[in-house]
């Protein structure tokens, strides 16, 4: 069979050799150009990943990604600082661990909001940081097409609440002194 096949297809002639070598050289140049383009795209993608990583890690607010059940997949430095634990001790735990028991229903409602079409929902609740309870403002959303990942932003608003309470007390004291 092999001999019959060889007889049917003529061997390249010596006249075709320069043309075939030229075609191979052109093809090689095309492959080298494609390789250079791929390497440039890879460098750009790596630069973009590093920029994102820097933005995520060094943002002033706490950011984390959660699985649908609330398990922390990623956490930035500010988030670890708010919770008062190293990231390695927090990643893999459920965020519920850090929420005061009385606020768990509100937190569960917040986690399910993006799946009900309510993107960007916020709530204030008490978190149990390593230094004690603190009040935090939490915002959740999901990424388009990634419905199994929840993005959670949170920040400690304890100082703001303390100042608001001081302002309210001062206003009440002023109002009572004006009545006298």
């Amino acid at each position: 069979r092999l001999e019959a096949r060889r007889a049917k297809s003529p061997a390249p002639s010596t006249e075709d050799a320069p043309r075939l070598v030229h075609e191979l050289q052109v093809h090689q140049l095309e492959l080298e150009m494609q390789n250079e383009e791929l390497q440039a795209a890879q460098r750009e993608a790596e630069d973009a990943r590093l920029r994102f990583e820097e933005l995520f890690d060094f943002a002033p607010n706490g950011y984390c990604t959660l699985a649908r059940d609330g398990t922390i997949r990623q956490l930035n430095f500010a988030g670890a600082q708010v919770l008062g634990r190293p990231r390695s001790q927090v990643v893999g735990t459920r965020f519920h661990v850090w929420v005061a028991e009385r606020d768990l229903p509100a937190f569960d409602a917040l986690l399910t909001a993006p799946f009900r079409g309510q993107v960007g929902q916020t709530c204030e609740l008490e978190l149990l940081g390593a230094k004690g309870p603190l009040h935090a403002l939490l915002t959740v959303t999901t990424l388009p097409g990634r419905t199994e990942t929840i993005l959670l932003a949170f920040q400690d608003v304890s100082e703001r609440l303390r100042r608001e309470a001081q302002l309210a007390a001062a206003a009440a004291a002023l109002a009572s002194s004006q009545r006298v």
Side-chain angles (χ1 to χ4, degrees), residues 35 87 90 111 171 175:
N35 188 34
R87 289 197 292 185
V90 176
L111 277 188

Side-chain angles (χ1 to χ4, degrees), residues 86-103:
R87 289 197 292 185
S88 60
Q89 291 179 6
V90 176
V91 172
T93 64
R94 291 185 70 216
F95 199 89
H96 295 77
V97 170
W98 309 101
V99 177
E101 190 171 340
R102 65 181 163 81
D103 288 335

Side-chain angles (χ1 to χ4, degrees), residues 3 44 55 57 72 75 86-87 101 108 110 116 136 154:
E3 287 178 14
E44 287 178 30
L55 286 171
D57 278 340
I72 300 169
L75 179 71
R87 289 197 292 185
E101 190 171 340
D108 285 332
L110 183 70
R116 294 189 312 267
F154 57 101

Side-chain angles (χ1 to χ4, degrees), residues 2-65:
L2 184 59
E3 287 178 14
R5 187 177 250 178
R6 283 184 189 161
K8 288 181 183 176
S9 61
S13 68
T14 55
E15 298 165 0
D16 290 339
R19 182 184 55 81
L20 292 173
V21 168
H22 176 71
E23 286 179 16
L24 285 173
Q25 289 172 337
V26 168
H27 187 63
Q28 181 180 1
L29 285 172
E30 288 173 352
L31 288 174
E32 287 173 0
M33 289 170 49
Q34 289 175 356
N35 188 34
E36 288 174 11
E37 289 173 7
L38 284 173
Q39 288 176 350
Q42 185 177 12
R43 283 190 299 273
E44 287 178 30
E46 180 64 16
D47 289 346
R49 185 191 67 76
L50 289 172
R51 280 192 308 277
F52 167 77
E53 200 172 272
E54 289 170 352
L55 286 171
F56 180 82
D57 278 340
F58 299 111
N61 295 328
Y63 291 113
C64 63
T65 58

Side-chain angles (χ1 to χ4, degrees), residues 47-156:
D47 289 346
R49 185 191 67 76
L50 289 172
R51 280 192 308 277
F52 167 77
E53 200 172 272
E54 289 170 352
L55 286 171
F56 180 82
D57 278 340
F58 299 111
N61 295 328
Y63 291 113
C64 63
T65 58
L66 305 174
R68 206 169 176 147
D69 69 349
T71 301
I72 300 169
R73 292 180 175 166
Q74 294 174 299
L75 179 71
N76 70 348
F77 292 126
Q81 189 173 19
V82 168
L83 298 176
R85 296 269 193 259
R87 289 197 292 185
S88 60
Q89 291 179 6
V90 176
V91 172
T93 64
R94 291 185 70 216
F95 199 89
H96 295 77
V97 170
W98 309 101
V99 177
E101 190 171 340
R102 65 181 163 81
D103 288 335
L104 283 172
F107 180 68
D108 285 332
L110 183 70
L111 277 188
T112 58
F115 305 110
R116 294 189 312 267
Q118 300 169 333
V119 179
Q121 294 296 303
T122 64
C123 77
E124 284 189 20
L125 48 81
E126 188 174 289
L127 295 180
L128 307 172
K131 298 175 186 172
L134 57 102
H135 294 277
L137 175 67
L138 286 77
T139 305
V140 294
T141 192
T142 58
L143 292 174
R146 293 188 58 199
T147 57
E148 295 304 312
T149 300
I150 300 166
L151 303 178
L152 176 68
F154 57 101
Q155 66 185 70
D156 185 352

